[in-house]
Amino acid sequence: MSITTESRTDVPGGRPDGAASEAGARGFAARIAGWVKSRIDLMPTLASLVIFVAMVIYGEAAYGRILQMNTISNLLINNSSLIIIAVGMTFVIITGGIDLSVGAVIAFSSVSGVMLINHGWNPWVVMIVMILIGSAFGSISGILVQYFNVQPFIATLAMMFLARGLASMLSTVPERLPDDSALRQLATKIKLVDGPKVNDFVITPGVIIAILVVLVAFFILHRTRMGRTVYAIGGSEQSASLMGLPVRSTKLWVYIISGSLSGLSAVVYTARLGIAQNITGIGWELDAIAATVIGGTLLTGGVGFVLGSVVGALVLGLMNVLITRDGGIPPAATTIITGGILLAFVLLQRLVQAKQRE
Amino acid sequence: MNHDSSKGMGVLKRIFHHQYIWGVVAILLLLFINMIKDPSYLSITVNETNGNLVGNLIDILRAAAPVMMIAVGMCLVIATSGIDLSVGSLMVVAGAVSMEFLKGASDNLGAALAALGLALAIAAVLGAVNGLLVSVVGLQPFISTLVMMLAGRGIAKVITGGQNTASTNGSFRWIANGYVVGLPVVFLIALLVVIAVGLLVRRSALGLMIEAIGMDPKAARLAGVNRRGLQVLVYTLSGLLAGIAGVFATASVMTVDVSRTGDQMEMDAILAVVIGGTSLAGGKFNITGAFVGSLLIATLDKTVVFLGVSSSATPAFKALVIVVLCLLQSDRIRSLFKGRSPAAAAPSVEEKEVVAA
C-alpha cells in the first residue's frame, strides 16, 4: 500500500511545480520536478530503490544484523540464480513477451545435470550441457512464438509443462551431487574483506557469474543494435518491422537468451545446493517476473532496465530474509506476498502510464 | 443409390467438421488397445448387493468428472481470449477449506453441506479476484492467474498449516464415492453441471457475447457488450467450477494433499479444451468438445496405468500433445494444409495481436 501512495505524492507533485517554472521562477524544486517529468519511466525503478533502502532500514531497526557484511554476502550468494533468470526475463518482457518456462527448465536442467555427473560425465562438459538444455527449450519457445505465431504465454507454458514432465520422468527423488564434484567449486566462498569474527564479505564464483551476466546484458541492451531492436519490438512490433529491423530473428534470440540463462541459473543453483529435484524452481517464473516488474520493466513491453531487475531481485531476496527473521509469517505466505508486491507495482505502472499519456 | 451415398457422405462430412470427433476417435483407439490386452476390459457388471455398475468404463467416467469441471470453466475463459492458470490451485484451496472445516465438525449432512458451500464460495471469490484483476485493473490474464496459481497453493498451505489434512464425513464422501441409479454420483453431478453451463451459454446470448469479447474487444464494446462484467463472470464461474473439481478430488479420499491435489491440473484443463477444438487464440468455444477432451484425458490416464507404462511419462506426453495441437492451430500449418501461402494468412494474426496488446 505504501507503494501506491508514494507514487501519488511523487507524480502529481511535479505538475504544479512544472507550471511554476514556465512562469519564470526556475527554482531548484522546479528543475527536479522537470527531471521527474522527463524521466517518468524511471519512477518505478527509483521507487524500488527507495523500497529496498526502506526495507534495509526497517530490517536493521526491527531485527538488527541486516547492514553487515555477511548478511549482504548471503543476499548476493542466495539470489545469484534469481538475478540471472531475472535478466533473461527482462529481455523477453521488454519485447512484450513472457517466459513462463524458466522454473521448469531449471528443474529439468539441474536434475539431468546431476544425473549425468553421477554417471561419471566430466562436470565441465555437464555445465555446458545444462546451459544448452536451457537454450534448446528457449529455441523451441522462440520458434513457436516467432515462426508459428503462437502467443508467448501459451508457447512457454507448454514448455513449462514439458520440462517439468521430463524432469519428473528422470527422477522424483532428490538427486545429490557428489561432495568432491567440480561443479561445487562454483560455490566456493572467496573472502574479499576479512571482517571481525564471521562477519566477512564473501562472494562465490556464482555471484561473479551473475554480475558478469548483468554487465553483458546491460551492454547488449543499451549499447548494441540488438538491444535497440529489443526495445523497438516492445514499443511497436509493426513499426519495428517497417523500419527494417530484424524483428523475427531478434524475437527468437530473446527466448534463446532467456532459456540459456535459465540453464546457467540451474548450474549456479545446483552448485550452491548440491541437490537437484523435479520440484526445484516451482514458482520461480513468478519471482523472475516480479523482480523484473519491480525493477521498472513494463509488462506490456518497450520499457525496462536490466539494473532495475537486479534491484527487484534483491528486494525479493531481502523480503525473504526479513520474513525468516520475523518468524511470525508462515513461509507458505511468501508467494502470496510476492504476488501482492507484483500487483502493487503493476498498479504503479498503470498510474505512471496514465500520467505519461496526459 | 447414388443419392443415398452422397447423403451419407454429407452426414460424415458434418460429423468430421467437428474437431472433437478426433477426440472420440482417440478414446475409441485407447479403449481398443486396452481391449487387446484384456478382452474383458470394456465389460460392465452389476454389483449384486447394491445394483451399482462396476467396470473400467465407470472408473473412467468417475476420473473424468473433475477434469470436466475445470475444462468447462477454462473453455469459457479461453473464449474471452484469456487463460486461467489457477484452476489447479483453486482445487486445492477448496479441498483444504472443506477438509479443515469437516475436521472440527460432526459427521452429518448439515456439516457436509456447510463445508461444500464454504469451499465453493471461497473458490468463487478467488475466481472473482482473478476476474477483477483482469477486467478492472487490466492485468494480462496469464499474469493475474499465475499469481493466483502460486498464491492459491500458499493459501491452502496457510489454511491447513502446511499439513495434509484428513477428515471423516459420510455425506461429503458420498459426493465422490456414492451411486445413484447405478452410476457414480460424481459423474452425474459433472454431467448436470456441464449441461447446465452449456444451456446457459448457448440458449442465451451469453455465449455469443463471451465469444465477441474474445474475437474483438473493441467491436464488442461498440456493440454494447459489457466486457468487464462478463470477464468477472467468466473467471468467477471458472473458480467456482474449480472449487467443485476440488471437492470431487478430495472427497474421494477425504484427504487434501496440499502439494499434490490439483497439481498440474491446469494442463489437463487446457489440453481438454484444445482437444475439443477451442482455439487458444480465443473468440470461440465448444463445450461438447471440452467434455470429450476431459473423457479422453481420463481414458489416457487410466490406459497408461492399465498398460503398466510408467505414469511419470504422462505429463511430458500431454505437454507434447499441447505443443502439437498449438502448431496445428497456427495459421502457418493451416495454410499449408489448405495450400494457401502463409504470407496471406499472416496479417490477420498480427492484427489480432495488436488488439490483444
Side-chain angles (χ1 to χ4, degrees):
Chain A
M1 273 301 103
S2 67
I3 302 152
T4 43
T5 51
E6 209 165 41
S7 78
R8 280 207 184 110
T9 52
D10 261 12
V11 179
R15 283 174 60 224
D17 288 351
S21 75
E22 279 165 28
R26 295 188 176 274
F28 180 64
R31 232 191 286 165
I32 289 202
W35 182 81
V36 164
K37 217 177 168 187
S38 65
R39 299 311 308 271
I40 203 162
D41 52 334
L42 270 176
M43 278 306 110
T45 316
L46 286 181
S48 66
L49 258 179
V50 170
I51 287 170
F52 184 73
V53 174
M55 278 169 84
V56 169
I57 294 169
Y58 171 77
E60 188 66 40
Y63 315 111
R65 290 184 292 109
I66 296 286
L67 250 183
Q68 61 178 12
M69 283 188 280
N70 67 343
T71 313
I72 292 168
S73 325
N74 282 334
L75 191 64
L76 286 176
I77 292 170
N78 294 341
N79 290 295
S80 45
S81 38
L82 175 60
I83 291 175
I84 294 173
I85 50 173
V87 167
M89 191 66 85
T90 312
F91 275 84
V92 180
I93 294 186
I94 291 177
T95 65
I98 195 88
D99 189 352
L100 300 179
S101 66
V102 286
V105 168
I106 287 173
F108 178 62
S109 171
S110 55
V111 168
S112 45
V114 172
M115 288 178 91
L116 284 178
I117 288 179
N118 287 340
H119 276 88
W121 281 46
N122 181 326
W124 303 106
V125 177
V126 169
M127 271 179 228
I128 309 277
V129 170
M130 286 170 79
I131 298 172
L132 288 180
I133 286 173
S135 321
F137 277 102
S139 325
I140 302 175
S141 313
I143 289 170
L144 283 173
V145 170
Q146 69 100 23
Y147 193 75
F148 292 103
N149 266 322
V150 179
Q151 288 136 295
F153 77 90
I154 294 282
T156 54
L157 188 71
M159 285 307 114
M160 166 178 150
F161 290 142
L162 185 61
R164 187 72 66 193
L166 289 175
S168 313
M169 258 170 90
L170 285 179
S171 153
T172 49
V173 292
E175 296 287 328
R176 280 195 67 81
L177 204 61
D179 287 334
D180 55 346
S181 171
L183 191 54
R184 282 186 189 260
Q185 285 176 15
L186 285 184
T188 28
K189 293 191 170 166
I190 307 163
K191 203 178 281 183
L192 287 187
V193 180
D194 196 3
K197 289 182 189 166
V198 289
N199 193 11
D200 309 325
F201 189 72
V202 288
I203 55 168
T204 60
V207 176
I208 299 173
I209 291 176
I211 293 172
L212 282 178
V213 165
V214 171
L215 291 180
V216 171
F218 184 82
F219 179 77
I220 290 179
L221 263 184
H222 298 286
R223 291 280 175 273
T224 65
R225 203 173 287 181
M226 186 193 169
R228 288 277 108 201
T229 313
V230 167
Y231 280 102
I233 293 175
S236 164
E237 197 177 327
Q238 253 170 336
S239 316
S241 62
L242 286 175
M243 282 195 287
L245 295 173
V247 169
R248 313 203 115 226
S249 64
T250 310
K251 252 174 132 179
L252 177 61
W253 271 110
V254 157
Y255 288 94
I256 296 179
I257 289 172
S258 173
S260 312
L261 287 180
S262 307
L264 184 61
S265 171
V267 172
V268 172
Y269 181 74
T270 316
R272 177 164 69 81
L273 231 65
I275 297 174
Q277 206 180 347
N278 63 330
I279 53 167
T280 301
I282 286 184
W284 282 26
E285 52 281 342
L286 182 68
D287 287 348
I289 296 170
T292 311
V293 171
I294 291 171
T297 302
L298 281 188
L299 265 179
T300 40
V303 179
F305 315 95
V306 171
L307 294 180
S309 305
V310 176
V311 177
L314 292 178
V315 165
L316 289 180
L318 188 59
M319 185 191 81
N320 272 325
V321 172
L322 294 185
I323 286 176
T324 327
R325 286 278 176 88
D326 184 72
I329 305 166
T334 319
T335 47
I336 308 177
I337 298 172
T338 311
I341 295 180
L342 175 60
L343 291 182
F345 267 85
V346 170
L347 285 174
L348 173 63
Q349 289 184 350
R350 294 279 134 143
L351 288 173
V352 170
Q353 274 179 307
K355 271 275 160 292
Q356 270 176 326
R357 261 187 233 120
E358 273 172 19
Chain B
M1 200 67 199
N2 198 6
H3 177 73
D4 265 13
S5 74
S6 73
K7 197 177 169 189
M9 280 299 284
V11 170
L12 262 183
K13 243 184 182 170
R14 217 179 313 142
I15 289 175
F16 278 87
H17 183 69
H18 295 294
Q19 207 182 330
Y20 60 77
I21 205 71
W22 298 109
V24 177
V25 171
I27 294 176
L28 294 178
L29 205 67
L30 284 173
L31 291 179
F32 183 70
I33 292 170
N34 289 339
M35 223 166 66
I36 294 174
K37 191 178 178 202
D38 177 8
S40 66
Y41 186 82
L42 294 183
S43 69
I44 296 175
T45 52
V46 178
N47 188 325
E48 298 288 327
T49 49
N50 51 18
N52 297 336
L53 298 177
V54 185
N56 290 311
L57 287 180
I58 304 294
D59 282 348
I60 289 174
L61 293 186
R62 197 202 302 267
V67 187
M68 271 173 204
M69 294 295 88
I70 51 176
V72 167
M74 185 71 83
C75 190
L76 297 177
V77 172
I78 286 178
T80 66
S81 76
I83 192 113
D84 190 350
L85 299 180
S86 67
V87 285
S89 296
L90 295 191
M91 281 177 71
V92 74
V93 171
V97 167
S98 50
M99 286 303 121
E100 198 65 27
F101 181 84
L102 288 176
K103 203 173 68 174
S106 53
D107 183 358
N108 57 28
L109 180 65
L113 286 178
L116 188 65
L118 198 62
L120 297 191
I122 288 181
V125 166
L126 292 180
V129 171
N130 277 336
L132 288 173
L133 288 178
V134 171
S135 65
V136 179
V137 181
L139 207 55
Q140 287 103 319
F142 67 90
I143 292 281
S144 9
T145 55
L146 181 76
V147 170
M148 191 56 83
M149 167 183 172
L150 296 159
R153 213 156 273 281
I155 293 171
K157 280 181 184 161
V158 171
I159 290 173
T160 61
Q163 303 297 314
N164 297 345
T165 307
S167 68
T168 46
N169 185 301
S171 319
F172 200 76
R173 199 184 153 80
W174 178 81
I175 297 174
N177 296 330
Y179 282 86
V180 168
V181 294
L183 285 169
V185 177
V186 64
F187 175 70
L188 293 175
I189 298 177
L191 194 63
L192 282 178
V193 171
V194 172
I195 291 173
V197 173
L199 286 180
L200 180 71
V201 292
R202 281 307 182 201
R203 290 282 163 216
S204 71
L206 208 57
L208 212 59
M209 292 197 283
I210 289 172
E211 288 180 334
I213 50 178
M215 254 183 260
D216 188 342
K218 223 178 202 170
R221 202 193 59 209
L222 292 175
V225 174
N226 178 359
R227 179 180 63 84
R228 289 187 174 172
L230 278 175
Q231 274 177 334
V232 174
L233 175 79
V234 163
Y235 283 94
T236 311
L237 189 64
S238 174
L240 177 69
L241 291 170
I244 301 178
V247 168
F248 286 171
T250 41
S252 60
V253 282
M254 288 309 279
T255 311
V256 61
D257 183 335
V258 279
S259 52
R260 288 248 179 82
T261 303
D263 188 31
Q264 296 217 322
M265 286 295 272
E266 54 283 339
M267 173 164 74
D268 283 358
I270 295 172
L271 185 55
V273 168
V274 182
I275 287 172
T278 302
S279 159
L280 282 174
K284 57 179 179 187
F285 66 88
N286 189 332
I287 297 228
T288 324
F291 180 79
V292 173
S294 321
L295 281 177
L296 175 57
I297 286 169
T299 317
L300 178 70
D301 285 342
K302 289 278 172 196
T303 305
V304 165
V305 176
F306 183 69
L307 295 182
V309 185
S310 164
S311 64
S312 59
T314 26
F317 174 73
K318 285 178 189 167
L320 269 182
V321 175
I322 292 186
V323 175
V324 170
L325 287 172
C326 272
L327 284 181
L328 287 179
Q329 284 183 355
S330 76
D331 286 290
R332 197 173 277 270
I333 298 282
R334 287 196 159 192
S335 58
L336 237 162
F337 280 126
K338 284 178 188 158
R340 275 193 290 140
S341 73
S348 67
V349 175
E350 267 165 29
E351 269 168 41
K352 184 153 185 69
E353 274 179 1
V354 170
V355 169

